[in-house]
Amino acid sequence: MSSNDPRDSSRETRLTLPKSWHAESVDAMGSLGVFFAGLVMVTRNRYVAWPVVILAINGVLNQHPLRAKEGGGSPWATLTMALFALVISHAPLFTFTDPTTGAIRFS
């Protein structure tokens, strides 16, 4: 074969991926934030809600949208869930309850 033929087997090279290749990586902090936000919503523990919000803000500030693949968990969704968990955990403080029975008063 001629030296300019692209089908020449002596010109084969090994496939090497670029250094900036998108790797499948699990966002452990985001997953942990979503888990704890769900835990706060179920248990209504106000003391865990604040660290979850801080964890979610950290995820938003440290996101790398150009490196992430499409369809992954968004830090904005984690932040929204953390804020809802904060509101839900503090909502009983703003309801008007009867001190003797604990029921909500409507009048």
Side-chain angles (χ1 to χ4, degrees):
M1 290 191 157
S2 74
S3 62
N4 290 334
D5 189 8
R7 297 173 291 174
D8 186 9
S9 62
S10 64
R11 298 183 63 174
E12 290 180 1
T13 58
R14 195 172 175 96
L15 174 67
T16 56
L17 299 176
K19 291 183 181 181
S20 64
W21 190 263
H22 295 289
E24 290 284 336
S25 62
V26 178
D27 182 20
M29 297 300 269
S31 299
L32 192 65
V34 169
F35 173 74
F36 279 131
L39 185 72
V40 167
M41 286 189 208
V42 170
T43 63
R44 291 191 223 150
N45 188 347
R46 293 188 301 269
Y47 301 110
V48 179
W50 290 103
V52 169
V53 171
I54 292 171
L55 190 69
I57 291 171
N58 182 24
V60 169
L61 293 177
N62 290 323
Q63 71 177 336
H64 300 286
L66 296 178
R67 291 189 208 162
K69 286 193 167 194
E70 301 223 5
S74 171
W76 290 101
T78 305
L79 180 63
T80 304
M81 190 167 176
L83 290 175
F84 280 133
L86 185 70
V87 168
I88 288 173
S89 66
H90 283 80
L93 296 175
F94 301 109
T95 57
F96 300 105
T97 58
D98 187 12
T100 57
T101 62
I104 297 175
R105 290 184 289 176
F106 294 106
S107 58

